[in-house]
Amino acid sequence: MASLISMTFEQTTFVLAGDTPGSATTLYSYTVGPQDAPVKVHLQAALHADEQPGTMALHHLLVMLRDADAMGQLRARFAVFPSVNPLGLANWSLRTHLGRYDNTTGVNYNRRWPDLYAAVSGAVGGRLGADPRANVATLRHAVRDWIDGQRPRSAAEELRLAVLRSAHDADIMLDLHCDNDSLKHIFTSPELMPGFRDLADWMGAAATLTAEDSGGGSFDEVLPQLYRQAARANPDKPIPMAAETATLEYRGQADVFDEMGLADAKGLFGFFAGRGLIDADPGPRPASAPAATPFEATEVLRVDRPGLLAYRVELGETVKTGQPVADLIAMDGPQAFIARTPVLAGTDGFVLSRALGKYVPRGGAIAKIVGTQPLVSRSGGYLLED
């Protein structure tokens, strides 16, 4: 461990043992704010290591938090991981960064996070009572004990445990990502809306998509699932949803620009100041973001053959069911490089994201269309792209 301290602003380094000789790497984080603050905030970016807009935003936010700390304005304890996946930063092949998947296992870095209630239910049995705050503390203590008792078998497991150790007792946990080519949007749990409406406003989100379980074991669902499952397993005990968590999608992968990151950091700072977690003027209240919609109402539009995309619509454009979103130019067959097949919208809504790469394989996702009515094809299944 190593640290640099100014007021309560501290940098921490954690060395992840490599799986092969010479492959150890370092995870950097910062903590800032009073140790005894009643609220803990965990912020992280680039869990998908090839998604860098969030890192740019946290670069700017760290300076704002450091300066606010020096002026004694922080009313929460912040843990900040500007690039939370150093393992993925090393995943390069033929001059291309492939930071979404563990090269060894093929597992998406933001999938298959542990079911914490299943891990601790035996330890908390009989210890929950009539005090909701005590019940939350009991659950958090059990999770910390479980983390401390794990023996990681790989660098990827070691990284996950290090991140969970910071996040498990957070009151607010924000995981900063981006899409391929996209407008800003949020993924969160339905119980957290409309309470998180202020976050959507400050972010300037074009959409807030909600799901209890998107099917992939994403990091933002770990803590809500802990409290939700504990409450359902113990209906006679008061167990609140004690963590506000969300995945924040900051546009697309190419949108890593200083001015954008600064604006995003100002939005986060305004959100925290508006919550009273920073004793500073949050600035003018932003415009209201659209109301949340169930993630099941968002179509992930896919193609049924390979080809070259020629989009007919822009991001944010409203479309109707059956309207062509793009043409797919054939790249084989008797009409190769001549034939064009329209790709049609399957719902009414607006175009939230598109594919940055225009050559797509069969089954490739080319757009998300945000509607308002849940789709039969999206019920009870895997809601994510991969």
Side-chain angles (χ1 to χ4, degrees):
M1 294 286 185
S3 63
L4 297 171
I5 301 176
S6 173
M7 300 293 289
T8 67
F9 189 77
E10 180 178 5
Q11 183 201 75
T12 299
T13 60
F14 182 80
V15 176
L16 299 165
D19 296 335
T20 57
S23 61
T25 190
T26 302
L27 173 65
Y28 291 89
S29 65
Y30 290 84
T31 53
V32 57
Q35 291 276 3
D36 59 352
V39 174
K40 178 179 180 180
V41 178
H42 175 99
L43 297 164
Q44 64 181 48
L47 182 55
H48 289 144
D50 53 353
E51 298 178 1
Q52 298 295 332
T55 298
M56 181 66 82
L58 293 185
H59 156 70
H60 287 287
L61 183 65
L62 274 172
V63 176
M64 297 176 186
L65 293 175
R66 182 195 63 191
D67 293 348
D69 176 51
M71 292 186 285
Q73 295 178 325
L74 299 186
R75 302 291 178 264
R77 181 75 170 165
F78 292 83
V80 184
F81 292 73
S83 190
V84 76
N85 183 5
L87 301 176
L89 290 178
N91 292 354
W92 283 80
S93 177
L94 303 177
R95 299 177 64 186
T96 300
H97 186 199
L98 306 172
R100 189 175 182 86
Y101 302 95
D102 183 336
N103 276 358
T104 301
T105 64
V107 173
N108 187 317
Y109 285 115
N110 195 27
R111 303 291 184 267
R112 303 188 196 177
W113 283 79
D115 181 336
L116 292 181
Y117 187 67
V120 305
S121 58
V124 300
R127 296 173 54 197
L128 301 174
D131 183 343
R133 295 182 65 181
N135 289 338
V136 170
T138 295
L139 286 166
R140 289 176 173 175
H141 185 78
V143 169
R144 180 59 184 257
D145 286 347
W146 176 82
I147 293 170
D148 288 345
Q150 298 305 297
R151 296 295 177 264
R153 297 166 296 179
S154 68
E157 289 185 8
E158 190 176 7
L159 174 64
R160 290 191 177 213
L161 291 170
V163 175
L164 281 173
R165 187 171 286 109
S166 171
H168 80 280
D169 58 351
D171 302 286
I172 298 174
M173 192 292 295
L174 303 180
D175 190 12
L176 280 58
H177 285 252
C178 70
D179 206 308
N180 204 217
D181 180 27
S182 176
L183 303 175
K184 289 182 287 186
H185 57 286
I186 294 174
F187 293 105
T188 193
S189 297
E191 300 98 323
L192 300 177
M193 297 301 293
F196 247 164
R197 187 69 178 268
D198 56 342
L199 175 63
D201 293 350
W202 281 105
M203 183 183 176
T208 298
L209 310 176
T210 64
E212 279 195 9
D213 183 357
S214 61
S218 299
F219 185 71
D220 73 301
E221 295 179 351
V222 169
L223 294 181
Q225 289 285 28
L226 168 67
Y227 298 115
R228 183 185 297 120
Q229 291 181 34
R232 289 175 179 171
N234 301 274
D236 58 333
K237 302 294 189 298
I239 301 173
M241 180 61 74
E244 291 183 286
T245 72
T247 293
L248 308 185
E249 301 278 353
Y250 281 102
R251 309 176 193 84
Q253 285 178 293
D255 296 318
V256 186
F257 297 99
D258 214 22
E259 64 275 12
M260 285 183 176
L262 178 58
D264 296 336
K266 288 180 178 178
L268 287 169
F269 190 92
F271 163 68
F272 294 127
R275 285 284 184 99
L277 302 180
I278 303 174
D279 187 12
D281 181 3
R285 178 79 187 190
S288 294
T293 56
F295 194 18
E296 294 89 342
T298 293
E299 179 185 27
V300 177
L301 185 60
R302 298 182 182 274
V303 294
D304 63 359
R305 66 198 73 184
L308 185 67
L309 286 171
Y311 279 105
R312 296 198 193 184
V313 297
E314 301 294 331
L315 293 176
E317 187 170 333
T318 299
V319 297
K320 295 290 186 181
T321 302
Q323 178 179 335
V325 171
D327 287 333
L328 195 62
I329 299 169
M331 300 182 75
D332 60 0
Q335 293 292 310
F337 307 104
I338 296 173
R340 298 169 70 108
T341 302
V343 184
L344 309 180
T347 190
D348 296 350
F350 73 91
V351 179
L352 179 66
S353 68
R354 304 186 305 182
L356 194 61
K358 303 307 186 290
Y359 161 58
V360 291
R362 183 173 66 171
I366 69 160
K368 292 190 189 73
I369 301 173
V370 177
T372 57
Q373 300 302 315
L375 303 170
V376 173
S377 60
R378 299 272 288 159
S379 61
Y382 189 78
L383 300 177
L384 302 165
E385 287 185 65
D386 64 343

